[in-house]
Amino acid sequence: MSLFHFVVLAPFLMAVILPFFYYKFRSIHTGWFLLPLPLVLFLYIATYIPFGGGGMEPVIYSVPWVPSLGIDFTVYIDGLSLLFGLLITGIGTLVVLYSIYYIANKQDEPLQNFYVYLLMFMGAMLGVVFSDNLIVLYVFWELTSLSSSLLIAYWFHKEKSRYGAQKSMLITVSGGFAMLAGFAMLYVIAGSTFSIQEMISQAGTMVQDPLILPAMLLVLAGAFTKSAQFPFHIWLPDAMEAPTPVSAYLHSATMVKAGIYLVARTTPIFGLTQQWFWILVIFGLVTLTWGSISAVRQTDLKGILAFSTVSQLGLIMSLLGMASAALHFEYVDQDTMYVTAAMAAVFHLINHATFKGSLFMAVGIIDHETGTRDVRLLGGLMTIMPVTFTISLIGLAAMAGLPPFNGFLSKELFFTASLNAASFDIFNLQTLGFIIPVFAWIASVFTFVYSMMMFLRTFTGAFKPDNYEKHVHEAPWGLLISPIVLGSLVILFGLFPNMLAYTIIEPAMQSILPGLTSVGDQFYVNIYHWHGINAELLMTIGVVLFGLAVALTLPKLYGAGFFQRERDPLNAVYDTGLDQLVVQSQNITKAQMTGRLRDYMLYMGVFIAGLGLFTLFRYDALAISLEGQGGIPIYVWLVTGVLLACTLALPFVSGRMTNLILLGAVGFLIALLFVILRAPDLALTQLLVETVMVVLILLSFRHLPEMTKESKRLLSTSAKAVVSIAVGTFVTLTALSVHAYRSGADITPISDYFVENSKTLAGGYNMVNVILVDFRGLDTLLEVLVLGVAALGIVTMIKLRMRGGEDV
Amino acid sequence: MEILMILTGGIIITVAVYLLMTRSILRVVFGIIMLSHGVHLLILTLAGLEEGAPPLLTENADAYTDPLPQALILTAIVISFGVTAFLLVLAYQTNKAHDSDDLEELRGNADE
């Protein structure tokens, strides 16, 4: 086990011991004990950054876990996992610091729960990004779903929290299961390996496999549910019931990017198919547009940010789709223009984590200090909360894509990538490609609008003290540190984007698009603010002008039908679906579990007869042999005739005495048949048993009521008749076939052994009795046991009857 | 001979299955009794009904009927007798507790 394994395991170990700190040191906020951990992890992971330039060599550490199944806990560190690892631990540190001040009232809050869940999440997330083994990745993936649900339902006494947690759990876990199935297919395609890197090395042959498309769709189902892509995004707005540090950490910076990570990680495999490109681009663009339009109609600040996150994730997803086009070109100098998309995706991933994290924290501060997040109540906070205002302004400007913040740069790159995509001459892009920049532009307009709206309605206008329950003032400094750090990063990355270029972005691009560059030769990333007057700049100017116009006419827009309701219309599909699932399964159960014995007997009869007859005819097993049927003596005909007459009369008579007489007659006639068929012991036993049985029934006769009349409804009677005749036919046909087989095949019965050895080995003349007590004595022993148990049971039933009302 | 016995067994089983699907508990118990009759007859028949002496070595015959299925049936008769006796007492006790022989009335609640 290498030291790096402990990077993944450390949060789990810490989660185990943290509650002891909580109960031992009640006076100190538990968060302080936890704060050093993500910081140390961040610094340790940062040592892997290739500061000197010259690209990054991946590092692999492996520990066997279940070697017989090919499951190894393999840690794989390359540019992509490094980027995510730094995001998780870096923002984790800031979130922990922020939460210490956010959940300050430590007497009322179960802090030990909060931090244990958070640590569990952090460890699981690190496991997802550093695992090279698909099964290990899946285990950590589900752990993130679990801990995320626990965190959403942190205030579990609130109904909405439980609803949100259940929803996110159901959606992400369904996606996770689909993903597991996809992984299993990949295992089969790749020839029994779970290692992602081994799969990438044979990606060329893997895409030839017919299973690659289902595997791709299933893996994408996992990625799309996790990363809140359309139409699976509906859980994210409801997850906003979580405490704000959780929303900032899980639902903007890390967990929702797990799907992005998975897509980026598997691009070298799936990116070789055309479907991958189109699915990612279409779903990404639809999510981008839908999210940005939906965000405008929200009145809750966290609701706006949730839909904004959905939209930005769609943007990154579509960029990753466009980036996969680069894999289809063999000339290195040509693909520089296609890899712009990959660069934009990675860069925007970083940017989004910084500005969205800071915005969530700012919203949390506003909520914390004013007691509301409703934009209809807020207003005029600019002078009252100047620091929060500054942070929000930076974050919102970056989100809207304004210079000089980092959002501007990634938006320009996004436009460049989408314009490039329109000019590819693959995948029918020359005809359909124009859609991509159009969608991108529309979505950018709405992004600008909701950013503007958040800014205008929260910070400008008149300050109305009556709207708030508490005295509104600036937040304490402890709460402000984390958003200030993130806001500074927004500016820093905006002004000096190239400090990320060879340290983070280039290695990450190399992981997404391996094999495009030869060893030692890397992608060359250089991000400028000023490219001269080009199409992208004109598009941005158009976004700003058009966005301003929309934002100013916004009050009129709210009258339109779509913008009146806050809830996403897709929620109705989810809610009705879930309700119907319960209702319909209840209906099915009710229809089939009737509580009537005869219905269950009917089902069994149908299945026995159906399956049996089907098998008989399907496999041509039916055979009838009429050999040696002559010479049946007349008395056999007579006995059989009477037996059958008694039997057939049974269902038609209703009196219990008649029934009993018929039953007794059948029993005695069977005994007579045993005599005819030369089975003296059987005849004797049958006679005795039948007599005892009739006596037994007669004994209880006086206490039994008149037998219930059968209903005369034709349908139920004929159904019973059909099923019983079918079962009888099946039994008869099977018996006939067995007989035919037996007389056809040359079978020596083992009974010859008993005939020869009864006297010599067992010293008995009655072969049946010798078999019963000597050759197969164990059967008899257990049969005696059965009789004993039956007798005991009867005694128990009669003697130990409960009088009712007692507990069993 | 075998064909006749197989048909007899088949008819007994048909009637037994029909009785199992009726409303009266007593009839259901009768159905179980009939079912075991049918099965016993079929076991004996399917082992073959060759002409031969009863399986007693004192007969000094050239051929005997197969003793093995007879031993099996003997065991089966005793076991089905035990089960039937138990069921009869159960039906008796059910009737005593609920004063009904009607399975329709003895149904559990619909929600269960």
Side-chain angles (χ1 to χ4, degrees):
Chain A
M1 240 175 158
S2 71
L3 192 56
F4 211 95
H5 282 99
F6 286 101
V7 170
V8 176
L9 295 179
F12 294 108
L13 299 174
M14 186 74 186
V16 172
I17 56 171
L18 197 73
F20 295 107
F21 284 106
Y22 174 76
Y23 289 111
K24 188 76 185 166
F25 307 101
R26 293 301 290 256
S27 54
I28 308 168
H29 196 288
T30 317
W32 291 114
F33 297 114
L34 149 67
L35 188 60
L37 178 75
L39 190 63
V40 167
L41 292 183
F42 177 80
L43 294 174
Y44 179 69
I45 295 173
T47 59
Y48 281 82
I49 298 176
F51 283 112
M56 183 176 177
E57 280 301 307
V59 187
I60 303 173
Y61 301 111
S62 190
V63 170
W65 183 10
V66 192
S68 56
L69 298 177
I71 300 171
D72 298 321
F73 185 11
T74 306
V75 168
Y76 182 81
I77 308 145
D78 65 349
L80 191 63
S81 49
L82 194 66
L83 161 65
F84 274 88
L86 290 172
L87 277 182
I88 293 159
T89 49
I91 296 182
T93 312
L94 297 173
V95 161
V96 170
L97 179 64
Y98 178 80
S99 71
I100 290 172
Y101 290 93
Y102 188 82
I103 312 180
N105 191 355
K106 54 184 178 292
Q107 294 309 317
D108 298 344
E109 296 285 351
L111 283 176
Q112 79 282 30
N113 294 352
F114 183 79
Y115 286 113
V116 165
Y117 300 158
L118 201 70
L119 280 168
M120 205 171 122
F121 171 78
M122 193 184 289
M125 203 61 212
L126 286 171
V128 166
V129 298
F130 284 116
S131 294
D132 182 50
N133 193 290
L134 285 177
I135 295 299
V136 178
L137 192 153
Y138 172 76
V139 169
F140 284 119
W141 183 278
E142 293 296 24
L143 266 178
T144 65
S145 295
L146 180 66
S147 49
S148 159
S149 286
L150 287 169
L151 283 168
I152 294 169
Y154 173 62
W155 288 307
F156 53 83
H157 45 84
K158 287 202 284 185
E159 214 237 308
K160 279 177 117 181
S161 299
R162 297 199 303 270
Y163 173 79
Q166 188 206 33
K167 195 175 189 177
S168 78
M169 188 78 167
L170 285 177
I171 293 179
T172 53
V173 169
S174 324
F177 280 150
M179 194 181 83
L180 182 62
F183 286 173
M185 285 181 188
L186 282 178
Y187 178 77
V188 173
I189 303 171
S192 308
T193 176
F194 280 121
S195 164
I196 300 172
Q197 294 308 318
E198 279 177 38
M199 285 180 189
I200 290 173
S201 66
Q202 46 174 308
T205 49
M206 279 174 75
V207 286
Q208 308 297 325
D209 198 287
L211 269 179
I212 194 79
L213 192 62
M216 183 179 99
L217 293 175
L218 288 167
V219 170
L220 275 182
F224 281 2
T225 49
K226 200 75 163 184
S227 280
Q229 297 295 296
F230 188 90
F232 308 113
H233 64 279
I234 50 173
W235 65 268
L236 191 61
D238 283 308
M240 291 300 131
E241 293 301 323
T244 302
V246 172
S247 309
Y249 189 36
L250 274 68
H251 306 129
S252 73
T254 52
M255 188 181 90
V256 287
K257 296 211 171 86
I260 303 274
Y261 167 79
L262 188 69
V263 166
R265 183 53 93 196
T266 49
T267 294
I269 305 167
F270 295 125
L272 299 172
T273 63
Q274 180 177 343
Q275 292 90 342
W276 178 259
F277 176 89
W278 277 114
I279 292 173
L280 284 184
V281 169
I282 290 171
F283 273 87
L285 286 177
V286 169
T287 312
L288 167 64
T289 318
W290 182 264
S292 64
I293 292 175
S294 300
V296 176
R297 55 190 198 145
Q298 300 293 309
T299 53
D300 179 4
L301 286 176
K302 275 174 92 175
I304 301 175
L305 289 180
F307 277 107
S308 154
T309 304
V310 169
S311 135
Q312 306 277 324
L313 291 170
L315 189 154
I316 300 173
M317 205 61 102
S318 66
L319 279 172
L320 284 174
M322 292 178 213
S324 75
L327 294 168
H328 295 268
F329 294 90
E330 279 143 357
Y331 308 104
V332 176
D333 50 336
Q334 226 185 13
D335 63 31
T336 44
M337 70 188 259
Y338 308 114
V339 295
T340 310
M343 178 167 79
V346 176
F347 191 44
H348 194 69
L349 185 79
I350 304 167
N351 294 344
H352 178 251
T354 53
F355 70 70
K356 194 52 69 68
S358 73
L359 281 175
F360 264 110
M361 288 173 182
V363 165
I365 291 169
I366 293 168
D367 187 14
H368 202 260
E369 302 306 326
T370 64
T372 182
R373 297 193 309 250
D374 194 331
V375 288
R376 289 166 299 193
L377 299 175
L378 293 165
L381 294 178
M382 194 192 297
T383 49
I384 295 161
M385 304 172 78
V387 182
T388 315
F389 162 71
T390 315
I391 297 162
S392 306
L393 184 65
I394 295 168
L396 290 169
M399 186 157 78
L402 296 180
F405 304 106
N406 58 9
F408 170 72
L409 300 170
S410 47
K411 184 139 294 186
E412 294 288 282
L413 287 171
F414 173 51
F415 284 153
T416 311
S418 59
L419 286 171
N420 281 345
S423 61
F424 291 175
D425 52 355
I426 46 165
F427 304 158
N428 299 327
L429 275 169
Q430 54 274 57
T431 48
L432 294 167
F434 74 94
I435 302 171
I436 300 173
V438 169
F439 265 95
W441 190 80
I442 295 172
S444 299
V445 170
F446 278 97
T447 307
F448 186 84
V449 170
Y450 67 71
S451 305
M452 275 291 282
M453 196 187 82
M454 257 183 94
F455 171 70
L456 291 174
R457 299 187 72 176
T458 313
F459 295 106
T460 63
F463 178 68
K464 301 186 208 70
D466 301 342
N467 281 349
Y468 313 113
E469 287 163 8
K470 32 181 146 179
H471 173 65
V472 180
H473 56 82
E474 184 55 271
W477 280 104
L479 211 47
L480 289 168
I481 297 171
S482 303
I484 287 175
V485 170
L486 285 174
S488 318
L489 286 178
V490 171
I491 300 175
L492 200 64
F493 294 159
L495 295 179
F496 308 105
N498 285 322
M499 62 184 283
L500 292 173
Y502 67 84
T503 49
I504 306 273
I505 299 178
E506 285 172 11
M509 283 169 70
Q510 230 148 10
S511 318
I512 300 173
L513 304 169
L516 284 188
T517 54
S518 48
V519 182
D521 177 25
Q522 304 117 43
F523 294 103
Y524 181 60
V525 172
N526 204 352
I527 304 164
Y528 293 109
H529 268 278
W530 181 251
H531 293 271
I533 304 206
N534 53 12
E536 293 91 318
L537 189 67
L538 293 176
M539 277 168 85
T540 304
I541 293 170
V543 165
V544 172
L545 292 177
F546 204 76
L548 273 174
V550 175
L552 294 176
T553 54
L554 209 56
K556 284 179 203 159
L557 249 174
Y558 280 120
F562 180 77
F563 284 96
Q564 278 178 343
R565 279 197 306 275
E566 244 190 284
R567 301 272 294 161
D568 200 291
L570 282 168
N571 278 313
V573 178
Y574 167 83
D575 289 333
T576 343
L578 203 60
D579 287 346
Q580 284 302 309
L581 213 59
V582 175
V583 171
Q584 294 305 332
S585 57
Q586 273 173 351
N587 285 346
I588 290 173
T589 310
K590 267 184 202 156
Q592 146 232 349
M593 304 297 284
T594 54
R596 286 192 194 91
L597 182 67
R598 60 170 170 194
D599 286 348
Y600 304 145
M601 288 291 181
L602 202 72
Y603 302 153
M604 285 189 241
V606 166
F607 270 95
I608 291 170
L611 268 179
L613 289 172
F614 172 77
T615 314
L616 272 183
F617 290 105
R618 169 70 179 75
Y619 295 99
D620 207 20
L622 186 62
I624 295 173
S625 154
L626 294 172
E627 271 175 66
Q629 295 308 311
I632 301 173
I634 190 78
Y635 58 90
V636 177
W637 282 112
L638 204 68
V639 171
T640 322
V642 179
L643 175 65
L644 286 179
C646 293
T647 308
L648 287 171
L650 262 178
F652 296 101
V653 297
S654 55
R656 46 186 185 159
M657 192 48 109
T658 335
N659 260 300
L660 185 58
I661 291 169
L662 285 175
L663 198 69
V666 169
F668 290 120
L669 286 167
I670 295 268
L672 204 55
L673 267 185
F674 285 155
V675 173
I676 294 167
L677 299 175
R678 287 173 298 280
D681 296 293
L682 285 191
L684 195 66
T685 319
Q686 179 68 29
L687 267 175
L688 278 172
V689 161
E690 205 54 38
T691 314
V692 173
M693 193 94 77
V694 172
V695 168
L696 196 66
I697 300 175
L698 274 175
L699 271 180
S700 58
F701 204 70
R702 203 164 61 80
H703 303 285
L704 289 177
E706 195 58 38
M707 283 203 295
T708 313
K709 289 267 189 300
E710 294 304 314
S711 76
K712 290 280 176 242
R713 283 189 306 148
L714 191 65
L715 195 66
S716 74
T717 315
S718 50
K720 282 187 271 184
V722 167
V723 171
S724 49
I725 287 170
V727 174
T729 315
F730 159 63
V731 171
T732 314
L733 289 180
T734 312
L736 285 173
S737 306
V738 171
H739 171 65
Y741 174 73
R742 189 183 169 283
S743 52
D746 187 24
I747 295 171
T748 322
I750 55 168
S751 301
D752 294 348
Y753 174 82
F754 299 122
V755 176
E756 281 159 23
N757 292 307
S758 274
K759 174 71 182 72
T760 46
L761 288 182
Y765 292 96
N766 186 333
M767 282 180 264
V768 175
N769 289 7
V770 166
I771 290 172
L772 281 175
V773 298
D774 196 310
F775 289 123
R776 301 180 56 87
L778 202 61
D779 291 356
T780 315
L781 184 71
L782 295 176
E783 156 200 343
V784 171
L785 191 69
V786 168
L787 267 192
V789 170
L792 277 175
I794 290 169
V795 171
T796 317
M797 263 197 295
I798 293 171
K799 293 281 181 195
L800 302 177
R801 235 187 104 235
M802 298 219 182
R803 302 274 169 259
E806 293 128 297
D807 258 334
V808 176
Chain B
M1 193 80 145
E2 280 95 343
I3 302 273
L4 181 66
M5 288 302 133
I6 286 170
L7 288 176
T8 314
I11 290 168
I12 293 176
I13 285 175
T14 307
V15 170
V17 172
Y18 184 88
L19 289 177
L20 283 178
M21 291 187 283
T22 53
R23 275 174 78 167
S24 155
I25 293 186
L26 215 51
R27 264 184 211 272
V28 173
V29 178
F30 290 172
I32 291 167
I33 297 175
M34 294 300 286
L35 198 61
S36 38
H37 284 330
V39 171
H40 298 160
L41 199 58
L42 282 177
I43 295 176
L44 197 64
T45 310
L46 290 182
L49 298 173
E50 294 101 347
E51 297 291 318
L56 298 169
L57 286 174
T58 46
E59 298 277 311
N60 284 324
D62 294 337
Y64 297 99
T65 44
D66 199 332
L68 191 59
Q70 297 195 13
L72 294 182
I73 295 168
L74 202 62
T75 311
I77 289 177
V78 175
I79 289 174
S80 61
F81 168 68
V83 173
T84 314
F86 185 85
L87 283 177
L88 268 173
V89 178
L90 190 63
Y92 165 70
Q93 288 290 42
T94 309
N95 180 51
K96 212 162 119 187
H98 299 282
D99 198 27
S100 171
D101 178 56
D102 189 354
L103 280 169
E104 192 73 11
E105 283 178 23
L106 294 170
R107 269 172 78 189
N109 294 329
D111 289 340
E112 280 175 353

